Amino acid sequence: MEDLVLTERPHEHVALVRLNRPKVLNALSNALAEQLATALETLDANGVTRAVVLTGDERAFAAGADIAEFAAVGPRLEVWDRLWSTGLPLVGAVRGFALGGGLELAMSCDLLVVADDARLGQPEINLGVMPGAGGTQRLTRAVGKTLAAEMILLGRELSGREAELHGLANRSVPAERVLPVALELARELAKKAPLAVRAAKRAIGRAFEDSLRAGLDDERRAFYGLLQSADGREGVAAFLEKRRPTWSGR
Ligand code: CAA
């Protein structure tokens, strides 16, 4: 089996998890998402890990769900529930693109460090679909309705610097500093009382859990519906054929 996710241990209590599909900008295939969920579950269970840094490479954190796979089998979004249920604090380290499912994964982290020139966005609308892994909910909660609407309805991207300004990221730093700063935050987390960190992480999540769950369910239903619409099929086909889509409104 291909290693779509690589795990290292740069520090006794800190794991570094790297997405590893560089040729397709770490597009989140079903297999990659499965491996990531399994990696987090394994780290969660080993009793040693106290914080995880999640990263991609210098070109991309992740450029979204795998669009080629959309056309073939469709994304299996249930795996995201496994990602969201980890008790470990996650520090996202974003260089390059964090688009679509990539931004949704970044927003699933508890703390986020981004490169000043990173590109964060929800471009699904350009494919004739919409975010399906929490984007409509987490982005709106992070940056507010006004900016979230512009990003989700028009596909506007933010730079890393803008993401920090709008409360989407904790720190925006030069690209070469992203990993060191993320690892430093993870080391700080690892020095805190582990039970307290886990409980506090869960409690932060609960600040909007009921309405978040309902919103996530609605979003997932709408996403799957759009994927099967004529425009959803056209948008995905157009991306793969490297041409502009023509929308029919069906
Ligand atoms: N899925 C599959 N393959 C992808 C991909 C994706 N999301 N993003 C990039 N790739 C592939 C490209 O097809 C290309 O492959 P080939 O070399 O075989 O042609 C390779 O990665 C490199 O990409 P580009 O040549 O396009 O690189 P670029 O620098 O010119 O452009 C980009 C970079 C702007 C990120 C562009 O690749 C792009 O627009 N990608 C798609 C972004 C996107 O729409 N993401 C949302 C996906 S939907 C989603 O995520 C739904 C959800 O919420 C679950």
Side-chain angles (χ1 to χ4, degrees), residues 21 23-25 27-28 59 63-68 70 75 77 80 97 99-102 104 119 122-124 127 129-133 157 223 239-240 242:
R21 294 186 77 207
K23 285 193 191 127
V24 287
L25 305 178
L28 305 168
R59 275 182 78 202
D66 189 311
I67 301 171
F70 264 31
L77 295 177
W80 286 80
F97 297 105
L99 299 176
E104 290 168 311
R119 290 173 57 180
Q122 299 283 176
E124 290 89 342
L127 297 170
V129 293
M130 60 181 270
E157 280 180 8
F223 173 80
F239 176 84
L240 295 173
K242 302 187 190 290

XYZ file of all heavy atoms in Angstrom, residues 21 23-25 27-28 59 63-68 70 75 77 80 97 99-102 104 119 122-124 127 129-133 157 223 239-240 242, ligand 1:
351
model
N 0.899 13.273 -1.317
C 0.580 13.036 -2.740
C 1.065 14.265 -3.514
O 0.260 15.017 -4.108
C -0.926 12.861 -2.955
C -1.532 11.629 -2.317
C -2.996 11.498 -2.740
N -3.147 10.979 -4.086
C -4.207 11.242 -4.860
N -5.171 12.033 -4.443
N -4.286 10.719 -6.075
N 2.373 14.991 -6.306
C 2.121 15.223 -7.746
C 0.766 15.854 -7.998
O 0.553 16.506 -9.021
C 2.215 13.898 -8.509
C 3.633 13.450 -8.680
C 3.750 12.327 -9.708
C 5.144 11.749 -9.641
N 5.142 10.303 -9.479
N -0.187 15.623 -7.123
C -1.524 16.217 -7.296
C -1.835 17.186 -6.149
O -2.974 17.342 -5.723
C -2.628 15.133 -7.420
C -2.562 14.455 -8.773
C -2.514 14.103 -6.299
N -0.776 17.863 -5.688
C -0.925 18.898 -4.664
C -1.667 18.376 -3.432
O -2.509 19.066 -2.853
C -1.635 20.134 -5.250
C -0.994 20.737 -6.513
C -1.812 21.924 -7.020
C 0.435 21.176 -6.245
N -4.013 16.270 -3.124
C -5.473 16.132 -3.241
C -5.932 14.991 -2.337
O -5.300 13.929 -2.261
C -5.858 15.868 -4.693
N -7.040 15.227 -1.643
C -7.500 14.309 -0.602
C -8.352 13.195 -1.214
O -9.573 13.306 -1.281
C -8.314 15.082 0.441
C -7.590 16.281 1.082
C -8.570 17.149 1.858
C -6.472 15.792 1.988
N 4.500 23.241 -1.723
C 3.555 23.716 -2.764
C 2.120 23.717 -2.277
O 1.316 24.537 -2.706
C 3.650 22.819 -4.002
C 4.758 23.212 -4.954
C 4.744 22.309 -6.168
N 3.711 22.656 -7.123
C 3.208 21.816 -8.024
N 3.623 20.570 -8.076
N 2.300 22.214 -8.880
N -4.882 20.626 -2.075
C -5.682 21.390 -3.047
C -7.109 20.876 -3.126
O -7.779 21.055 -4.138
C -5.022 21.371 -4.420
N -7.577 20.216 -2.074
C -8.992 19.837 -2.027
C -9.211 18.363 -2.207
O -8.256 17.579 -2.312
N -10.487 17.993 -2.202
C -10.839 16.612 -2.473
C -10.319 16.259 -3.866
O -10.114 17.143 -4.702
C -12.346 16.441 -2.401
N -10.105 14.976 -4.115
C -9.549 14.542 -5.391
C -10.624 14.602 -6.470
O -11.563 13.801 -6.473
C -9.000 13.115 -5.252
C -8.222 12.714 -6.491
O -8.751 12.901 -7.613
O -7.095 12.229 -6.346
N -10.469 15.559 -7.387
C -11.529 15.814 -8.374
C -11.640 14.671 -9.381
O -12.732 14.341 -9.851
C -11.283 17.171 -9.078
C -11.266 18.294 -8.029
C -12.352 17.454 -10.117
C -10.820 19.639 -8.550
N -10.518 14.035 -9.695
C -10.579 12.887 -10.614
C -11.400 11.759 -9.988
O -12.177 11.095 -10.676
C -9.168 12.411 -10.939
N -13.784 12.204 -7.803
C -15.189 12.669 -7.844
C -15.907 12.020 -9.002
O -17.012 11.535 -8.888
C -15.209 14.155 -8.222
C -15.279 15.113 -7.103
C -14.728 14.823 -5.884
C -15.882 16.330 -7.289
C -14.774 15.755 -4.867
C -15.937 17.255 -6.295
C -15.378 16.980 -5.078
N -16.501 11.374 -3.428
C -15.803 11.352 -2.146
C -16.661 10.655 -1.089
O -17.875 10.770 -1.103
C -15.642 12.839 -1.806
C -16.696 13.540 -2.573
C -17.071 12.679 -3.747
N -17.457 11.077 2.372
C -17.246 12.116 3.384
C -17.364 11.599 4.812
O -16.955 12.290 5.751
C -18.227 13.272 3.151
C -18.012 14.030 1.823
C -19.065 15.108 1.630
C -16.620 14.649 1.765
N -14.524 11.889 7.362
C -14.245 13.135 8.079
C -14.722 13.060 9.529
O -14.147 13.685 10.412
C -14.892 14.334 7.372
C -14.165 14.701 6.110
C -14.271 14.089 4.902
C -13.199 15.746 5.940
N -13.435 14.693 3.986
C -12.778 15.711 4.594
C -12.658 16.707 6.795
C -11.832 16.603 4.082
C -11.725 17.602 6.284
C -11.308 17.546 4.945
N -1.145 25.919 -1.278
C -2.602 25.895 -1.392
C -3.277 25.154 -0.234
O -2.834 24.069 0.161
C -3.017 25.177 -2.685
C -2.559 25.870 -3.937
C -1.497 25.367 -4.681
C -3.185 27.031 -4.372
C -1.069 26.001 -5.847
C -2.763 27.682 -5.533
C -1.703 27.165 -6.267
N -7.104 24.530 -0.323
C -8.327 24.836 -1.067
C -9.363 23.743 -0.845
O -9.007 22.561 -0.706
C -8.022 24.930 -2.569
C -7.022 26.022 -2.991
C -6.753 25.937 -4.490
C -7.551 27.406 -2.617
N -10.626 24.129 -0.870
C -11.699 23.142 -0.761
C -11.516 22.291 0.482
O -11.349 22.803 1.604
N -11.494 20.959 0.270
C -11.283 20.047 1.389
C -9.971 20.319 2.119
O -9.833 20.001 3.299
N -9.008 20.927 1.433
C -7.733 21.281 2.076
C -7.933 22.356 3.136
O -7.383 22.272 4.239
N -10.823 22.921 4.512
C -11.687 22.292 5.525
C -10.855 21.466 6.517
O -11.127 21.450 7.715
C -12.756 21.440 4.828
C -13.763 22.334 4.102
C -14.674 21.588 3.149
O -14.157 20.787 2.338
O -15.888 21.799 3.197
N -2.377 30.196 0.001
C -3.630 30.548 -0.692
C -4.751 29.678 -0.147
O -4.756 28.468 -0.353
C -3.455 30.377 -2.198
C -2.515 31.451 -2.767
C -2.176 31.210 -4.214
N -3.354 31.128 -5.064
C -3.304 30.914 -6.378
N -2.134 30.786 -6.974
N -4.412 30.838 -7.093
N -12.293 28.340 -0.811
C -13.311 27.302 -1.055
C -13.783 27.479 -2.502
O -14.811 28.113 -2.759
C -14.491 27.487 -0.082
C -14.152 27.377 1.380
C -13.952 25.959 1.915
O -13.601 25.779 3.055
N -14.168 24.945 1.099
N -13.031 26.921 -3.463
C -13.345 27.148 -4.875
C -14.392 26.195 -5.454
O -14.600 26.170 -6.661
C -11.991 26.941 -5.555
C -11.326 25.906 -4.712
C -11.785 26.146 -3.295
N -15.074 25.415 -4.605
C -15.996 24.392 -5.114
C -17.045 24.961 -6.061
O -17.502 24.290 -6.980
C -16.705 23.682 -3.950
C -15.804 22.776 -3.122
C -15.129 23.480 -1.965
O -15.056 24.729 -1.955
O -14.655 22.773 -1.052
N -16.628 24.534 -9.568
C -16.826 23.174 -10.092
C -18.316 22.841 -10.164
O -18.690 21.700 -10.441
C -16.152 22.148 -9.169
C -14.634 22.211 -9.002
C -14.198 21.287 -7.875
C -13.938 21.821 -10.298
N -20.282 22.788 -7.596
C -20.710 22.163 -6.334
C -20.466 23.154 -5.183
O -20.437 24.363 -5.397
C -20.020 20.795 -6.093
C -20.468 19.777 -7.117
C -18.503 20.911 -6.074
N -20.348 22.679 -3.988
C -20.132 23.533 -2.818
C -19.267 22.763 -1.818
O -19.029 21.571 -2.004
C -21.482 23.888 -2.173
C -22.253 22.672 -1.698
S -23.854 23.081 -0.959
C -23.345 23.285 0.762
N -18.795 23.427 -0.775
C -17.999 22.683 0.217
C -18.836 21.549 0.811
O -20.049 21.684 0.969
C -17.682 23.734 1.285
C -17.789 25.044 0.568
C -18.882 24.863 -0.439
N -18.160 20.441 1.119
C -18.890 19.284 1.637
C -18.306 18.722 2.917
O -18.838 17.780 3.484
N -17.205 19.300 3.391
C -16.558 18.751 4.591
C -16.410 19.832 5.661
O -15.371 19.953 6.298
C -15.208 18.134 4.231
N -10.207 33.849 -2.777
C -9.146 33.271 -1.929
C -8.619 34.307 -0.955
O -8.654 35.502 -1.241
C -7.948 32.871 -2.802
C -8.109 31.580 -3.518
C -6.860 31.269 -4.361
O -5.835 31.982 -4.261
O -6.935 30.306 -5.141
N -24.189 18.823 -0.728
C -22.994 18.553 -1.531
C -23.202 17.318 -2.410
O -22.957 17.348 -3.616
C -21.786 18.354 -0.613
C -20.548 17.911 -1.339
C -19.758 18.820 -2.016
C -20.183 16.567 -1.361
C -18.622 18.408 -2.696
C -19.047 16.151 -2.037
C -18.267 17.079 -2.703
N -12.949 20.717 -15.241
C -11.647 20.794 -14.564
C -10.703 19.749 -15.132
O -9.557 20.028 -15.468
C -11.793 20.611 -13.045
C -10.459 20.597 -12.336
C -9.839 21.788 -11.969
C -9.798 19.404 -12.060
C -8.591 21.790 -11.335
C -8.551 19.388 -11.429
C -7.953 20.590 -11.068
N -11.221 18.525 -15.272
C -10.354 17.428 -15.715
C -9.925 17.607 -17.164
O -8.835 17.212 -17.551
C -11.071 16.086 -15.526
C -11.370 15.721 -14.062
C -12.221 14.467 -13.973
C -10.076 15.551 -13.260
N -9.495 20.498 -18.500
C -8.809 21.794 -18.521
C -9.515 22.776 -19.451
O -8.923 23.369 -20.347
C -7.328 21.623 -18.897
C -6.575 20.686 -17.923
C -5.088 20.657 -18.188
C -4.346 19.569 -17.409
N -4.246 19.768 -15.967
N -7.937 16.888 -7.338
C -7.241 16.152 -8.225
N -6.143 16.602 -8.855
C -5.726 17.858 -8.565
C -6.403 18.681 -7.648
C -7.558 18.151 -7.016
N -8.253 18.853 -6.118
N -5.763 19.869 -7.584
C -4.721 19.772 -8.412
N -4.682 18.563 -8.998
C -3.698 18.062 -9.960
C -3.857 18.733 -11.316
O -4.883 18.097 -12.069
C -2.471 18.541 -11.887
O -2.357 17.228 -12.355
P -1.627 16.951 -13.798
O -0.200 17.412 -13.562
O -1.749 15.487 -13.951
O -2.359 17.779 -14.810
C -1.543 18.658 -10.668
O -2.394 18.430 -9.527
C -0.926 20.032 -10.513
O -1.971 20.989 -10.565
P -2.007 22.189 -11.629
O -1.240 21.830 -12.851
O -3.455 22.571 -11.813
O -1.204 23.282 -10.799
P -1.372 24.878 -10.878
O -0.266 25.410 -10.036
O -1.509 25.320 -12.292
O -2.778 25.181 -10.171
C -4.456 24.995 -8.451
C -2.950 24.903 -8.817
C -4.944 26.434 -8.608
C -4.553 24.565 -6.988
C -5.260 24.061 -9.373
O -4.647 22.762 -9.384
C -6.685 23.873 -8.948
O -7.523 24.722 -9.203
N -7.005 22.723 -8.276
C -8.353 22.403 -7.850
C -8.727 23.177 -6.620
C -10.150 22.849 -6.241
O -11.084 23.129 -6.972
N -10.345 22.280 -5.033
C -11.630 21.956 -4.517
C -11.950 20.513 -4.775
S -13.613 20.124 -4.334
C -13.611 19.812 -2.673
O -12.620 19.916 -2.020
C -14.959 19.385 -2.126
C -15.049 19.135 -0.676
O -15.173 20.041 0.100
C -15.125 17.746 -0.167
